[in-house]
Amino acid sequence: MFWKIVGGLIVAWVAFMVLGAVIGFVFKAVLWIAIIGGIAFLGAAGYRAISGKKDYKRINRY
């Protein structure tokens, strides 16, 4: 009976370790995708802001 309990605890521990590794990997992957996307967005916005190209389709009232 003792070995069944120890075996069950070991199986539960391994399951939690695998689950934690998978969730940690997914969290890190989503975090890096968000960081790269934010950098790309800021780069595109900065490029558009400093480029000399005028947008004549806009209506400027001032």
Side-chain angles (χ1 to χ4, degrees):
M1 184 66 179
F2 172 75
W3 292 110
K4 285 185 181 180
I5 294 172
V6 170
L9 289 174
I10 290 173
V11 168
W13 178 71
V14 169
F16 280 121
M17 292 296 289
V18 170
L19 187 65
V22 170
I23 290 174
F25 174 75
V26 169
F27 178 75
K28 285 182 183 179
V30 169
L31 178 68
W32 279 107
I33 289 170
I35 289 171
I36 292 170
I39 290 171
F41 175 76
L42 290 176
Y47 175 75
R48 180 69 177 151
I50 64 172
S51 67
K53 191 175 183 181
K54 298 287 182 187
D55 189 6
Y56 293 109
K57 294 179 183 178
R58 241 183 232 184
I59 299 173
N60 293 326
R61 295 184 183 216
Y62 301 107

